Amino acid sequence: MFVVGLTGGIGSGKSTVAGLFARQGIPVIDTDVIARDLTRPGQPALDAIRASFGESVMQADGTLDRAALRRRVFNDAVARRRLEAILHPGIRRETEAALGRVKGPYALVVIPLLAETGGAYGDLLDRVLVVDCPEHVQIERVMARNGLARDEAVAILAAQASRAERLGLADDVIDNAASPEVLPAQVAALHRRYLELSATVS
């Protein structure tokens, strides 16, 4: 199957774009959703996170305190790598399994941290689509959506791959700097292009 990886920084509009492809009937696999499933109670990944990070990242009901975990790894590269070592193999495995189940001319895999994974998904992807907008637009969107102060939004962006790093991976780019009304036409054009490309894959 022809596979397109969709990525972009926080506040770039990845979810909106993925939804537009889904409306075209294209299966969408979201690695963030997979990560949430892998960290539900009873899952081995949650037990590993608890063992590695302690009770401070757990809720009283035994579920993961995602906000506490984010705070724990945000400015700690060693802790972040520890978390990635727990989660990424399972995310990769479940992504492959999901691709084996879906039907369609091509599939879209949403990988928010594609630029940060050091090519961990490169062999799965035929194209990389980056949803792009200027950083000041990202900051304004994150502030409005998450109720964060400007310095908090800036810190989140600083912890991610740079805009240039993401664009360096791109085969295709969606410009989401303007209003959402311009997105459907961009998605429709890429959808036609991906249908053409997928037809050449045996």
Side-chain angles (χ1 to χ4, degrees):
M1 174 178 283
F2 192 81
V3 181
V4 178
L6 173 67
T7 194
I10 189 170
S12 61
K14 297 181 297 296
S15 296
T16 301
V17 170
L20 290 169
F21 275 100
R23 287 186 199 173
Q24 301 279 359
I26 298 305
V28 174
I29 300 164
D30 190 330
T31 57
D32 270 356
V33 173
I34 292 173
R36 284 196 291 273
D37 288 341
L38 290 175
T39 52
R40 294 186 190 280
Q43 294 296 320
L46 181 59
D47 295 336
I49 290 170
R50 189 174 202 158
S52 183
F53 293 94
E55 296 301 318
S56 64
V57 300
M58 302 299 298
Q59 303 269 22
D61 63 358
T63 59
L64 181 64
D65 187 336
R66 299 180 192 282
L69 183 60
R70 279 194 298 272
R71 289 192 299 270
R72 180 74 175 272
V73 305
F74 185 69
N75 287 316
D76 186 336
V78 173
R80 189 161 57 247
R81 285 194 293 271
R82 220 162 66 228
L83 178 62
E84 290 167 354
I86 293 169
L87 288 178
H88 281 324
I91 294 171
R92 164 74 189 229
R93 184 173 59 251
E94 291 300 320
T95 299
E96 290 186 48
L99 284 170
R101 292 190 298 267
V102 298
K103 304 295 182 185
Y106 68 93
L108 194 77
V109 181
V110 184
I111 312 172
L113 299 180
L114 180 62
E116 291 87 345
T117 59
Y121 293 88
D123 61 315
L124 287 184
L125 307 177
D126 296 290
R127 303 280 289 188
V128 172
L129 169 59
V130 172
V131 184
D132 179 59
C133 65
E135 290 185 355
H136 73 270
V137 175
Q138 289 179 262
I139 290 168
E140 294 298 331
R141 288 175 179 166
V142 171
M143 289 171 61
R145 183 185 71 190
N146 295 30
L148 298 179
R150 180 172 294 275
D151 60 342
E152 292 175 306
V154 169
I156 291 172
L157 259 68
Q160 295 189 336
S162 69
R163 184 183 183 191
E165 286 171 326
R166 282 190 299 272
L167 289 173
L169 298 175
D171 297 297
D172 306 295
V173 177
I174 282 183
D175 180 1
N176 192 23
S179 65
E181 288 75 17
V182 304
L183 286 177
Q186 294 186 74
V187 169
L190 282 170
H191 175 59
R192 290 192 295 271
R193 174 65 174 148
Y194 295 153
L195 288 175
E196 293 171 358
L197 291 171
S198 66
T200 68
V201 177
S202 57

